[in-house]
């Protein structure tokens, strides 16, 4: 099924054609109303969380059951006329949430919907604000949980990673993410990249690429010794990378604070007209492999 968030606080759910088995049934779809029709709030983000689907609309969060798509519960995350939940990423039993015009990331427990931790990106980036030429307020613009790391992109183009670890009573202990364990951010181990974007980071996603120029990574092949060898070779060649996209590219290693500030002021004056740049991050090591 495909879920589409609408501007009138509704979610449209489309299913595949049962008769033909191909395409989507656009005539018979399900519409779930989340808010009051007199004061609609736009649906801004939809993400799967454990056995449910979480929907952000305005400053609220609705938990929908699957597969019948019914409202299980709603939660007011933040209040205000301009409040808008913009990002939700889940890992274990925790969900990291960010809002529009905010520098704070909040970890919610997916079972109780209670806050467990907050990370303020202004505090994380404060040590490099001057050297990196940040002259405007820092806002969270992109979020991803991958490889036991919390990836954060900001409105200034900075890329930050923070390790995610399970929390024991006395110390942090690294463990694989599980369905019963929230993963907390170890703020003092945050790493600020020397590579970034000149404008706001628009997205951070995970993609698969083939390091040996193999065009495909099939999941199923006939069970012969020759095909098994090819399958193992192709799977070993397929690697996942993290991609970030934003306007412009910048290397903080090669520029001083004055140059960076001049570049940022010039972009604000003339507008963000540069083409979108993409940075590929090799998650197997602390280096950028493609820009």
């Amino acid at each position: 099924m495909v879920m589409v968030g609408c501007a009138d606080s509704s979610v449209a759910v489309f299913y595949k054609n049962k008769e033909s088995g191909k395409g989507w049934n656009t005539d018979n779809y399900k519409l779930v109303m989340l808010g009051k029709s007199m004061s609609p709030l736009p649906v801004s983000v939809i993400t799967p969380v454990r056995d449910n689907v979480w929907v952000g609309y305005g400053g609220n969060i609705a938990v929908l059951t699957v597969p019948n798509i019914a409202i299980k519960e709603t939660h007011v995350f933040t209040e205000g006329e301009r409040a808008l939940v913009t990002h939700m990423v889940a890992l274990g039993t925790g969900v990291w949430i960010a809002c529009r015009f905010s520098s704070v990331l909040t970890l919610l427990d997916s079972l109780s919907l209670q806050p467990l931790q907050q990370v303020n990106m202004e505090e994380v980036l404060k040590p490099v604000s001057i050297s990196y030429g940040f002259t405007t307020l820092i806002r969270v613009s992109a979020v991803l949980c991958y490889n036991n790391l919390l990836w954060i992109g900001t409105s200034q183009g900075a890329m930050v990673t923070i390790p995610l670890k399970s929390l024991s009573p006395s110390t942090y202990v690294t463990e694989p993410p599980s369905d019963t364990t929230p993963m907390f951010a170890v703020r003092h181990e945050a790493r600020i990249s020397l590579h970034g974007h000149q404008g706001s980071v628009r997205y951070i996603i995970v993609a698969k690429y083939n390091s040996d120029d193999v065009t495909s990574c099939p999941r199923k092949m006939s069970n012969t010794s020759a095909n098994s060898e090819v399958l193992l070779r192709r799977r070993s060649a397929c690697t996942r990378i993290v991609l970030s996209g934003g306007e412009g590219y910048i290397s903080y290693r090669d520029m001083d604070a004055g140059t960076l500030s001049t570049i940022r002021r010039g972009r604000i004056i003339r507008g963000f007209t540069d083409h979108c740049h993409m940075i590929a991050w090799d998650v197997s090591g602390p280096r950028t492999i493609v820009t």
Side-chain angles (χ1 to χ4, degrees):
M1 65 180 176
V2 172
M3 303 182 70
V4 180
C6 304
D8 61 351
S9 300
S10 66
V11 175
V13 185
F14 296 89
Y15 300 90
K16 285 190 174 182
N17 286 316
K18 294 183 178 180
E19 297 180 357
S20 63
K22 298 179 181 180
W24 298 92
N25 189 339
T26 57
D27 297 325
N28 298 319
Y29 60 90
K30 184 173 184 177
L31 194 64
V32 181
M33 295 300 301
L34 304 177
K36 299 179 181 179
S37 58
M38 297 298 294
S39 55
L41 299 170
V43 173
S44 52
V45 58
I46 302 175
T47 188
V49 179
R50 294 170 62 84
D51 298 328
N52 302 309
V53 173
W54 284 30
V55 181
Y57 64 106
N60 309 305
I61 297 172
V63 180
L64 306 183
T65 58
V66 177
N68 58 325
I69 311 299
I71 299 176
K72 182 179 180 180
E73 58 182 316
T74 59
H75 174 70
V76 178
F77 181 75
T78 183
E79 296 180 326
E81 293 183 0
R82 305 181 68 184
L84 185 67
V85 175
T86 53
H87 301 87
M88 292 193 297
V89 290
L91 183 64
T93 59
V95 183
W96 287 96
I97 299 177
C99 294
R100 179 174 57 179
F101 308 132
S102 175
S103 63
V104 177
L105 277 162
T106 302
L107 176 63
L108 287 190
D109 188 289
S110 62
L111 302 177
S112 64
L113 274 71
Q114 296 299 313
L116 302 176
Q117 185 184 20
Q118 285 191 332
V119 176
N120 192 329
M121 294 309 299
E122 286 189 344
E123 296 178 358
V124 173
L125 292 172
K126 186 176 180 180
V128 298
S129 292
I130 296 178
S131 59
Y132 278 29
F134 296 154
T135 58
T136 58
L137 296 177
I138 294 172
R139 299 290 182 258
V140 174
S141 60
V143 186
L144 171 72
C145 285
Y146 180 68
N147 203 31
N148 282 356
L149 290 173
L150 181 63
W151 299 71
I152 307 106
T154 71
S155 53
Q156 285 72 23
M159 289 287 297
V160 181
T161 57
I162 305 178
L164 295 172
K165 300 181 180 181
S166 61
L167 183 62
S168 67
S170 59
T171 184
Y172 285 102
V173 179
T174 302
E175 297 176 358
S178 69
D179 291 337
T180 59
T181 305
M183 303 294 286
F184 291 80
V186 189
R187 183 187 172 283
H188 65 273
E189 294 183 14
R191 300 184 64 179
I192 305 168
S193 177
L194 291 173
H195 303 273
H197 298 276
Q198 293 184 18
S200 177
V201 180
R202 301 299 178 84
Y203 62 84
I204 310 174
I205 60 173
V206 179
K208 183 185 292 184
Y209 84 103
N210 197 303
S211 58
D212 289 342
D213 295 327
V214 181
T215 57
S216 62
C217 294
R219 296 182 179 180
K220 295 182 179 180
M221 295 181 65
S222 57
N223 190 17
T224 65
S225 58
N227 285 338
S228 297
E229 183 178 350
V230 172
L231 178 61
L232 290 174
R233 179 173 60 84
R234 288 181 176 181
R235 284 182 174 175
S236 63
C238 289
T239 307
R240 293 188 182 276
I241 57 176
V242 172
L243 301 175
S244 67
E247 295 195 24
Y249 166 77
I250 197 167
S251 174
Y252 298 106
R253 190 198 309 271
D254 304 327
M255 299 184 184
D256 56 29
T259 304
L260 292 171
S261 297
T262 301
I263 291 175
R264 296 187 189 282
R265 284 197 300 269
R267 290 180 61 80
I268 293 173
I269 293 172
R270 69 176 183 271
F272 294 90
T273 57
D274 286 353
H275 295 293
C276 182
H277 283 63
M278 182 183 293
I279 305 175
W281 309 84
D282 183 1
V283 296
S284 64
R287 59 191 179 93
T288 308
I289 59 173
V290 182
T291 54

